[in-house]
Amino acid sequence: MAEAEDVRTLALALPATEERVTWNQPTFRVSGKIFAWITEDELCAGVKVDGKEERDELVASAPETFFYTDHDSRYNVVQLRLNRIDLGELDELVRAAWRAAAPKRLLNELDQDGQ
């Protein structure tokens, strides 16, 4: 089971990530692009995904964990219930979200560091 602070720790460990409060919730950005956020109640988080197909696959595979709102349906994002996901899977999702938003220069830096 993951917690909101885990999202923060994982996101801020990635190169050039900054935290900024937007819509009354913490968002995590790389080069100005949001790749993850924590909901205001800290029960859920959201991450950028490669596309709506990936989002739909996640929701179909574990609807008790993954979901999206009407607002989210326009974007390549998925939300997750933190009490339904383990830390390892959360780490993979946050890293993938960062990769989806980061410029190539930072991707190369991360790859060189072996992360």
Side-chain angles (χ1 to χ4, degrees):
M1 180 171 103
E3 298 179 354
E5 194 56 35
D6 295 323
V7 176
R8 178 175 282 110
T9 299
L10 293 169
L12 292 176
L14 296 165
T17 295
E18 67 174 338
E19 180 176 349
R20 190 181 314 164
V21 174
T22 306
W23 312 297
N24 294 321
Q25 51 193 10
T27 63
F28 303 93
R29 299 165 185 256
V30 59
S31 296
K33 296 178 183 177
I34 294 173
F35 68 90
W37 69 92
I38 301 167
T39 59
E40 196 171 353
D41 62 11
E42 297 191 346
L43 298 176
C44 298
V47 293
K48 185 173 180 64
V49 293
D50 280 334
K52 292 175 182 69
E53 183 176 302
E54 180 184 356
R55 177 192 62 207
D56 293 344
E57 288 173 5
L58 286 167
V59 172
S61 71
E64 67 284 351
T65 303
F66 299 103
F67 67 98
Y68 61 94
T69 66
D70 287 340
H71 174 77
D72 295 338
S73 67
R74 298 181 288 175
Y75 305 100
N76 294 337
V77 299
V78 69
Q79 292 196 51
L80 54 102
R81 293 173 182 86
L82 290 167
N83 68 348
R84 304 288 303 189
I85 195 163
D86 68 49
L87 195 54
E89 187 174 12
L90 179 63
D91 184 34
E92 288 177 24
L93 289 165
V94 170
R95 285 176 179 277
W98 184 90
R99 285 182 167 283
K104 287 181 184 178
R105 169 185 57 83
L106 288 175
L107 289 173
N108 291 336
E109 180 182 322
L110 187 70
D111 290 341
Q112 288 175 357
D113 289 345
Q115 296 184 21

